[in-house]
Structures are given as structure tokens and as C-alpha cells.
Amino acid sequence: MSSSSFTSFYETWFEQLHNLVHQLSTCPRPPTTPDHHHHLLHVVQKVMSHYDEYYRVKALAAERDALAVFVAPWATTLERSLHWIAGWRPTTAFHLVYSESSIHFEAHIVDILRGFSTGDLGDLSPSQFRRVSELQCETVKEENAISEELSEWQEGASELMGACTNLDMKMGRLVTVLKKADNLRLRTVRKVVELLTPQQAVEFLIAAAELQFGVRGWGMNQDRQRGNV
């Protein structure tokens, strides 16, 4: 798959993400019946399958042209400035959990102080906070390890100029780094979703997508003003 083909795929995928977020937003919260609960699980799984598809197709594009994927021509200038190895930094997920938890907590602080359970991200249990913290530490270690692999690849850039026979091997190493980064991104979201209740997972996925929509929208406006699009 060429970079132009992936760009077309991404535009369609991004539009479908908007539709899925609308489905998330219209889910009954909190779920009051078994049917509501199953519906939340079903929509969450649809969103996760959508992310699976994105990274599957992106991996194919990377195998064809790793450098094109690395520079991410489908992204805005702002998005690329925020990238960590051709995508969002995995630990962003944890910052999002903490910020959304704080927002929901403040919105329902009176109910919480009265002992009422809200069931949302502002009502995370101590065990959930502990697991989020553990996952964050694990993810930071993996991020650092992958960053080190990329640094090693970049340090060998001078070899690319004088050893064309090794070019395929070096590009293969870059593909490996890209795939590891994307795998960590996807695994991080999956693990966060798994430790949340269905209602909390819906709220987390909505917040994550809205952040993505906001950054992309702002980036597109900035690029238009600069005449980049």
C-alpha cells in the first residue's frame, strides 16, 4: 500500500471514527439494564476493532514504504509536531484518564461526598488507580526502549550513504521500530479499556477521540492559514 493509498484509507477511517463516537455518545449511561450493559460492551468492541484495522493497514503501508509512514503525510503539521514515532505517545492515554477522572469527580463531587456512586471516570476505585499507575510505569519503560532502538537506527544514518547493499536491512529495522511503537499504542488502549467498567471505557474512548478530533481540526485550520493545504 502506497502512502497516497494509506492517506485515502485514513480519511475514510477518520470519518468512520466520528460515526463510532456518535454511537458511544448515545449509549445509555449509566447502564440500568443487562441490555444496556451488553450494548456498551458491543460499541466499545466496535471502536477497538476500528483501531485494530487502522494499525493493521498502517503496518502494511510501513512494509511498503517505511519512510513515508514515518513522516505521516496524512497528518497535519501540528499533529506531526506532537508525534512520537509516527503516532501519539502511548503514555498520553494515562494523562487522559487522570484528567477525565478529575473533571468527572469535580462535576459530581456533591453526590460522591454523599456516598452515591456515579460509576463514571470520576468514580475510579483505588484498585483501578493502582493498576493505571502500574500500567503507566510499564508503558514508560517500553516507550524508552523503543526510543532507544530508534536512536540506534538514527546513529547509523551515515552508513546509509555508503552502504547501499544494506539499505533493505536498515529499512527493515525502521519498519520493526514503527510496528513496535504502534503495537504499544494499541496494547496501551486495550489495557486501559480492560481495567475500566463499560461506562468508564465509553467515556475514555470518547475523550480520546475528541482529543484527536480537536488536534486535527486545529491543525487543519493552521495549515490552511499557512497555505499548506
Side-chain angles (χ1 to χ4, degrees):
M1 171 177 282
S2 66
S3 59
S4 60
S5 296
F6 185 77
T7 297
S8 297
F9 162 80
Y10 182 78
E11 291 172 354
T12 300
W13 180 90
F14 195 75
E15 185 59 36
Q16 292 171 340
L17 182 61
H18 275 280
N19 294 332
L20 287 171
V21 170
H22 175 71
Q23 293 181 41
L24 288 171
S25 300
T26 55
C27 284
R29 287 178 285 156
T32 56
T33 68
D35 285 344
H36 288 168
H37 182 82
H38 292 148
H39 181 64
L40 289 182
L41 289 175
H42 174 67
V43 179
V44 167
Q45 185 52 51
K46 284 176 66 176
V47 175
M48 294 310 303
S49 295
H50 194 55
Y51 284 121
D52 279 335
E53 177 70 359
Y54 170 74
Y55 289 114
R56 183 187 69 80
V57 176
K58 187 179 176 185
L60 294 175
E63 289 172 2
R64 185 176 182 87
D65 190 344
L67 294 178
V69 171
F70 196 85
V71 299
W74 55 86
T76 64
T77 306
L78 174 61
E79 288 173 300
R80 286 193 290 272
S81 74
L82 299 172
H83 276 178
W84 171 81
I85 312 182
W88 55 275
R89 185 175 286 274
T91 44
T92 303
F94 304 105
H95 299 303
L96 193 60
V97 170
Y98 294 134
S99 63
E100 287 297 309
S101 177
S102 177
I103 291 170
H104 281 79
F105 179 84
E106 291 177 4
H108 302 291
I109 189 170
V110 174
D111 290 334
I112 293 172
L113 290 176
R114 289 175 176 173
F116 296 118
S117 175
T118 60
D120 58 21
L121 281 172
D123 198 21
L124 291 175
S125 68
S127 63
Q128 284 178 311
F129 270 118
R130 182 174 63 254
R131 186 58 184 139
V132 169
S133 179
E134 292 170 351
L135 279 174
Q136 184 176 14
C137 291
E138 294 168 10
T139 304
V140 167
K141 290 180 182 178
E142 290 196 62
E143 272 188 7
N144 290 340
I146 297 171
S147 293
E148 182 61 30
E149 285 192 53
L150 179 61
S151 294
E152 291 175 0
W153 186 89
Q154 292 170 331
E155 287 171 1
S158 60
E159 299 175 22
L160 294 175
M161 303 300 295
C164 294
T165 55
N166 294 328
L167 186 59
D168 288 343
M169 182 180 69
K170 292 189 179 297
M171 287 300 103
R173 286 182 61 194
L174 183 58
V175 171
T176 298
V177 172
L178 284 167
K179 287 184 176 181
K180 284 184 178 182
D182 280 343
N183 179 265
L184 181 57
R185 279 184 267 268
L186 183 58
R187 281 191 292 115
T188 299
V189 173
R190 281 201 171 281
K191 288 180 179 180
V192 169
V193 166
E194 287 170 1
L195 66 83
L196 300 175
T197 67
Q199 178 184 348
Q200 292 167 345
V202 166
E203 293 166 353
F204 167 73
L205 291 172
I206 290 173
E210 288 182 341
L211 176 61
Q212 188 175 358
F213 297 156
V215 171
R216 184 165 181 81
W218 189 22
M220 291 179 71
N221 288 335
Q222 293 294 311
D223 283 350
R224 288 193 191 99
Q225 292 176 18
R226 295 185 177 91
N228 294 337
V229 294

